[in-house]
Amino acid sequence: HLYGKGFQQPIHRDTLSAQIDRLTEAEDFVRSWRFLPLNGRAVKPTMPFKEGWLLSLSATKQLCTTLIRDHHFDYVCTRRFTQDHVENLFCIIRGHNGFNDRPELSSFVGALRSVAASGLAQPDSTSRNCEDDNCEAAIIAACAPTGAGDCVTTKAGPQNSSSVVCQAPQQQLLQKKLDSWQGASNVSLEAAEYVGGYVLKRSRVLHCQVCNSLLTASESAGVHIQHKTYSHAFRGLTAPSPVALVAFMKMEAEFAALTSSFIIQPRVAARFVNHLREQLVALPACELHHTRVHNQVFKNFAHLRLHHWCRREMKNLRAVAQKKKTMGKIRKLH
């Protein structure tokens, strides 16, 4: 805090260099840690909490340096770098929706708006392990509805209706999905990049240097993967190349357009993979591994999307069944 002494004092402009050197020494000390498992296995160079320590130390140095030198802060209270405000916010939302630790996006946004509008941005749980962060005013100012529209808005790009006039309904749906992808928000594009990188790594098609250079990008174009990639991480994330990203966007559009017709037939995954081959969805690869890359990527993408689709549909069916059960109890009471 502001008037603390020793390790409890903030990082001032005058003491920035000395305290950055002290954090660097701590970072080198944590990086030298090695871990001996109890089961007699080999020494491990890293553990999850070690990566967390390194991330916190590196982020503290960069944030303090940027705030003091570039933005002319007189001091920085590192105690404010905790995630108590995030935990308090989720505590408020969970308390507003009942015990629901995995809310849907629509229910989360609705609860956040309700909390902001009613001024109830204060955790009411007495057993929480986070201190009050006094950020109620910030939440209300940032999330209160305004005349310009809702807090969260997504705008799709303009659709060219002349290109789908003479197409079949199934092709119209596919073209509409592709048009929405082309004008999609950054969130949708970064989600496609994240999923595409996961599919590529799981498909084990990146051992070839030529295929690796064609399928992956040296640096992610989206912010989502960049924030999840640590320079000291033992395993990093894979970012698809621009050509591969276009292929994954087309695969997603095909899946969204054909799910209703494929899902009622046997061998859904195999039929979807064959459909991708018929539509000539192309992935960049060398001549030696061209067939292997397409087979593994198509197969893993189909299984991943079908698994997610089934989980979502089962959740919707359970919600409908619960609603019918509740309505039945209400009728009996009447």
Side-chain angles (χ1 to χ4, degrees):
H1 52 86
L2 181 58
Y3 302 103
K5 302 296 182 181
F7 288 104
Q8 293 185 350
Q9 64 179 335
I11 296 181
H12 291 274
R13 180 182 298 275
D14 299 334
T15 61
L16 175 63
S17 299
Q19 290 177 303
I20 290 297
D21 293 340
R22 183 180 299 172
L23 291 175
T24 302
E25 293 177 2
E27 190 175 9
D28 295 337
F29 173 64
V30 173
R31 190 176 286 109
S32 66
W33 291 353
R34 298 295 181 268
F35 308 94
L36 181 63
L38 297 177
N39 53 10
R41 296 183 179 179
V43 176
K44 300 177 63 176
T46 184
M47 291 282 286
F49 71 91
K50 176 183 175 181
E51 302 298 328
W53 271 107
L54 292 175
L55 177 62
S56 298
L57 290 167
S58 177
T60 301
K61 293 194 302 181
Q62 295 180 29
L63 279 170
C64 293
T65 303
T66 301
L67 292 174
I68 291 177
R69 292 181 179 176
D70 298 343
H71 298 279
H72 309 292
F73 276 50
D74 293 330
Y75 60 89
V76 176
C77 293
T78 54
R79 182 172 177 268
R80 294 299 182 182
F81 291 163
T82 65
Q83 63 177 7
D84 284 0
H85 55 286
V86 179
E87 296 185 19
N88 284 334
L89 175 61
F90 279 92
C91 178
I92 298 168
I93 300 301
R94 185 168 57 248
H96 188 80
N97 281 336
F99 187 75
N100 182 13
D101 56 349
R102 293 183 180 180
E104 295 289 340
L105 177 60
S106 57
S107 61
F108 182 87
V109 173
L112 181 59
R113 289 174 179 168
S114 176
V115 167
S118 58
L120 299 178
Q122 180 71 23
D124 56 358
S125 175
T126 58
S127 60
R128 66 182 187 276
N129 61 348
C130 300
E131 299 179 359
D132 293 337
D133 46 53
N134 300 320
C135 64
E136 298 88 353
I139 296 176
I140 295 174
C143 299
T146 62
D150 297 331
C151 299
V152 179
T153 59
T154 56
K155 295 183 179 180
Q159 297 182 1
N160 185 5
S161 59
S162 62
S163 61
V164 296
V165 172
C166 300
Q167 297 177 352
Q170 182 176 335
Q171 293 297 325
Q172 291 181 4
L173 182 59
L174 175 58
Q175 185 65 36
K176 183 178 180 181
K177 188 65 178 178
L178 284 173
D179 291 341
S180 65
W181 271 104
Q182 294 173 0
S185 62
N186 292 333
V187 176
S188 300
L189 295 176
E190 291 186 6
E193 185 182 29
Y194 186 76
V195 173
Y198 172 78
V199 172
L200 288 176
K201 176 173 285 189
R202 185 179 179 184
S203 301
R204 301 182 182 276
V205 296
L206 303 179
H207 299 294
C208 174
Q209 295 296 331
V210 178
C211 294
N212 193 349
S213 62
L214 294 175
L215 288 169
T216 62
S218 58
E219 185 176 353
S220 171
V223 180
H224 183 71
I225 294 183
Q226 292 178 2
H227 286 179
K228 285 182 171 291
T229 303
Y230 314 132
S231 59
H232 53 268
F234 186 70
R235 296 184 181 88
L237 297 176
T238 301
S241 63
V243 180
L245 180 60
V246 172
F248 280 110
M249 291 164 57
K250 187 173 182 180
M251 282 188 273
E252 174 62 25
E254 294 279 356
F255 182 85
L258 301 175
T259 303
S260 58
S261 60
F262 274 3
I263 206 66
I264 59 176
Q265 301 177 8
R267 304 179 69 248
V268 181
R271 294 178 63 88
F272 180 65
V273 170
N274 293 333
H275 177 78
L276 292 179
R277 293 197 187 98
E278 294 173 357
Q279 295 299 318
L280 301 178
V281 178
L283 286 165
C286 66
E287 296 181 359
L288 182 61
H289 303 116
H290 184 270
T291 304
R292 177 187 175 188
V293 167
H294 283 74
N295 290 340
Q296 293 192 8
V297 171
F298 288 168
K299 179 180 177 181
N300 287 330
F301 181 84
H303 288 173
L304 175 67
R305 290 298 286 115
L306 285 171
H307 177 73
H308 178 266
W309 185 88
C310 291
R311 288 187 61 182
R312 185 181 62 185
E313 290 300 316
M314 290 299 296
K315 187 173 184 178
N316 294 336
L317 290 175
R318 284 193 294 266
V320 172
Q322 183 64 31
K323 184 177 180 180
K324 289 183 178 179
K325 184 178 180 180
T326 303
M327 295 303 296
K329 291 181 179 180
I330 293 176
R331 293 190 189 97
K332 290 182 179 179
L333 292 176
H334 286 291

